Amino acid sequence: MKVCYYSSLVSERLYKKLYTKKEKPGMQAQTFNRLIVEGLIKNNIFVKCFSVIPTSKELFDLNYLNEKSEHFFKYYKVFNFPIIKDVYILLKSYFQTLYNLIIDKEIVCVIDVLCSTSGLGASIACKHLKKDCIGIVTDLPEFLTSNKLYINMVYKTIKNCNKYIFLTQPMNNLLNKNNKPYQIVEGLCIENEFKTNNREKVFMYAGSLDKVNGISTLIEAFLQVDTNFQLHIYGSGDYEEQINKISKEKTNIKFFGLVDRDIILEKIKNVYFLINPRSTTNEMVKYSFPSKNMEYLASGTPFLCTKLPCIPSDYLEYINLFENDDVEGIKKGLEKVLNVDYSTLVNKAEKGKEFIIKNKNNISQTKKIINLIGDKR
C-alpha cells in the first residue's frame, strides 16, 4: 500500500527556514498532519507528501520559490500571487495525481480537504479514474473564512471523496449524507518527552486568542479569584492587544505571544494547571476536536475544560470540568481545583495521560485510516 498525502505540511526544517516573521501558518494543522504522516510511516505505509507551502505577503516576502524535494516531501512551486498560485497548484495536482494513479495501482490518495487547491485537483483525478480518495475533514471552511471561492472548493473536494476521516460524529452526520465509509479520529498524540521538574504555580492557556474562544472570560474570571497563582497566556488572535494591555496592568497575568511548539510542550509539563475555556455555545465546537485537549491530556498536568459537545464520554473522567462557560462558572472551577489536594488532581491527570498515550497515539489512530483504505464497500 502506498499513500499520496495532500496537505500544507512542510518539514520542520523548512518551517523554521521560511517563517521568520511574527505571522506564521497554523501550527495546529502542521502538527496534526505531521502526526498522521509519521503514524502511517510507523505502520509501514509508504507515504509521499505533496505539499502546498503556505504563502502570503504576511508570511514571507518571496514572490517565487522552488523548494527541492526532501525525505518524503514533494513541494509545489510557489508563485506568491493570488489566483495564479491557486490555478497552478490545482492543475499541477490534477495531472500529477492522474499520472501517479495510472502508473502505480497501489496508490491511495489521502487529502486534507482544507488544503483546497491541491485537494481539489487530486480529488478530481481520483474521481475521473474511480480511485479511492480519503478526505480528512478537521473543520468547516465557513468557520475559517468568508471567502466564498475557498468554501466552494473545499465542499467540492469533500463531495469528490468516497471515504472520510472526521474528528467528531456530528461532522459525519452533517457532511456524509450518502453514508460513505468513514472513521472518527478525534486527534492524535505522542508522549511528551519533556520531564516534569518543579512545577510553577501557574494556570496556563496556549492557543487561539480570538475572543470567541473564551479567553476574555477566562481572564475576567481569574482576576476575581483570590490566589497567589499566575495566569500565563501563549498565542495570537483578535484579543491579543487587549491581553497585552491587561498583562502590563496586572502582575499576576503574563503574556508571552507566539512561541515555538517545543517551548509549549515543555511548559505544559511544568505548571500546576492547564486550561481550555472555549465557549460551549459556539456552533463550531460540535464539529472540531481541539488539538490542545489532546496535548494537555497527554502531559500528565491537571487539565480544566468546559464540557464541549465534541468530547466523547470516555474522556470526561480525566478532565476537571467547569460548571459552565461564563465568568462565574469558570471562577468556581478555578477555586475548586485550588481547594482540592493537588496529589489527587495529579493522579487523575496521570490516568488521563495513560489513557491518551495508549489509545490515541498516532500509530493506533492511523490504523483507522489504514482500515478505512481496506474498506471495500
Side-chain angles (χ1 to χ4, degrees):
M1 183 188 300
K2 299 176 182 177
V3 167
C4 287
Y5 194 85
Y6 298 82
S7 71
S8 60
L9 177 64
V10 300
S11 71
E12 293 179 285
R13 177 203 65 80
L14 185 58
Y15 191 91
K16 292 177 181 177
K17 170 189 169 183
L18 290 180
Y19 306 114
T20 56
K21 292 185 175 183
K22 181 181 178 181
E23 292 292 328
K24 301 180 188 298
M27 181 53 72
Q28 290 180 345
Q30 290 289 314
T31 301
F32 182 84
N33 284 311
R34 193 179 314 284
L35 287 173
I36 286 183
V37 169
E38 290 177 354
L40 289 171
I41 291 172
K42 289 176 181 177
N43 276 303
N44 299 314
I45 303 299
F46 176 87
V47 180
K48 176 68 93 176
C49 292
F50 292 90
S51 298
V52 178
I53 298 173
T55 60
S56 70
K57 296 300 183 182
E58 291 75 28
L59 297 176
F60 57 79
D61 297 321
L62 296 174
N63 291 324
Y64 175 77
L65 179 65
N66 186 11
E67 194 69 28
K68 292 182 179 179
S69 300
E70 57 176 326
H71 305 302
F72 42 79
F73 289 98
K74 186 172 181 60
Y75 301 111
Y76 294 100
K77 293 178 183 178
V78 171
F79 300 93
N80 202 7
F81 303 97
I83 301 178
I84 294 175
K85 64 179 180 182
D86 297 331
V87 171
Y88 167 77
I89 292 171
L90 194 154
L91 292 174
K92 179 71 174 179
S93 66
Y94 170 75
F95 287 109
Q96 192 171 54
T97 304
L98 209 63
Y99 173 78
N100 290 337
L101 291 174
I102 290 172
I103 67 169
D104 194 335
K105 305 301 182 184
E106 290 186 52
I107 289 176
V108 175
C109 294
V110 179
I111 296 171
D112 176 356
V113 302
L114 296 180
C115 191
S116 59
T117 47
S118 66
L120 182 56
S123 70
I124 293 172
C126 290
K127 189 173 183 179
H128 282 175
L129 295 178
K130 297 182 179 179
K131 295 285 190 177
D132 275 352
C133 183
I134 297 176
I136 299 177
V137 189
T138 57
D139 228 326
L140 296 176
E142 60 266 35
F143 291 153
L144 305 176
T145 181
S146 59
N147 185 314
K148 291 184 178 180
L149 176 60
Y150 172 79
I151 293 170
N152 288 334
M153 288 174 67
V154 171
Y155 277 115
K156 180 64 175 176
T157 303
I158 293 172
K159 185 177 179 180
N160 288 341
C161 295
N162 68 326
K163 298 177 181 180
Y164 300 109
I165 296 292
F166 297 116
L167 300 193
T168 68
Q169 186 61 43
M171 182 76 89
N172 175 68
N173 299 341
L174 179 71
L175 297 180
N176 191 11
K177 300 298 185 183
N178 293 323
N179 198 29
K180 297 176 183 178
Y182 74 97
Q183 288 278 357
I184 302 296
V185 178
E186 309 94 88
L188 311 94
C189 73
I190 55 174
E191 186 165 4
N192 189 331
E193 296 178 355
F194 293 99
K195 303 299 181 184
T196 301
N197 299 313
N198 293 325
R199 293 186 186 270
E200 300 177 79
K201 287 191 170 184
V202 165
F203 287 92
M204 177 178 165
Y205 172 84
S208 168
L209 302 184
D210 290 343
K211 192 173 182 179
V212 70
N213 287 327
I215 185 63
S216 62
T217 306
L218 170 61
I219 292 173
E220 187 177 347
F222 180 77
L223 290 173
Q224 294 182 24
V225 177
D226 183 15
T227 178
N228 62 349
F229 277 64
Q230 293 184 345
L231 173 62
H232 289 189
I233 300 171
Y234 297 81
S236 65
D238 59 29
Y239 202 63
E240 180 178 348
E241 187 175 335
Q242 187 65 24
I243 295 171
N244 194 35
K245 181 180 177 182
I246 294 170
S247 69
K248 291 176 180 177
E249 297 172 352
K250 305 293 183 180
T251 58
N252 58 345
I253 294 181
K254 306 292 183 184
F255 176 52
F256 298 91
L258 274 175
V259 301
D260 288 343
R261 181 169 178 266
D262 283 350
I263 295 176
I264 296 297
L265 291 177
E266 181 177 11
K267 291 293 183 182
I268 65 178
K269 294 279 285 187
N270 293 294
V271 297
Y272 263 66
F273 299 106
L274 302 168
I275 307 179
N276 186 0
R278 185 170 291 191
S279 171
T280 60
T281 57
N282 190 335
E283 181 70 10
M284 69 180 292
V285 300
K286 291 191 297 186
Y287 305 118
S288 182
F289 191 94
S291 60
K292 72 169 61 64
N293 283 17
M294 201 68 77
E295 288 184 346
Y296 286 2
L297 283 166
S299 71
T301 296
F303 173 38
L304 292 83
C305 181
T306 48
K307 190 175 181 180
L308 300 173
C310 64
I311 301 178
S313 59
D314 55 346
Y315 284 70
L316 297 179
E317 64 181 288
Y318 310 113
I319 300 172
N320 302 285
L321 293 171
F322 294 116
E323 290 182 13
N324 53 61
D325 60 5
D326 61 14
V327 172
E328 187 62 24
I330 291 180
K331 176 190 173 187
K332 287 181 178 178
L334 298 175
E335 291 173 337
K336 181 178 179 179
V337 294
L338 287 171
N339 287 291
V340 173
D341 180 68
Y342 189 67
S343 63
T344 302
L345 299 174
V346 170
N347 184 52
K348 176 194 280 192
E350 285 294 334
K351 289 179 180 178
K353 176 181 176 180
E354 182 180 346
F355 165 76
I356 288 291
I357 297 298
K358 179 180 178 180
N359 299 291
K360 308 298 178 179
N361 65 74
N362 65 331
I363 298 176
S364 63
Q365 291 289 70
T366 49
K367 283 180 181 176
K368 295 180 181 179
I369 299 177
I370 297 169
N371 291 338
L372 189 60
I373 292 172
D375 191 330
K376 300 303 181 184
R377 281 184 287 165

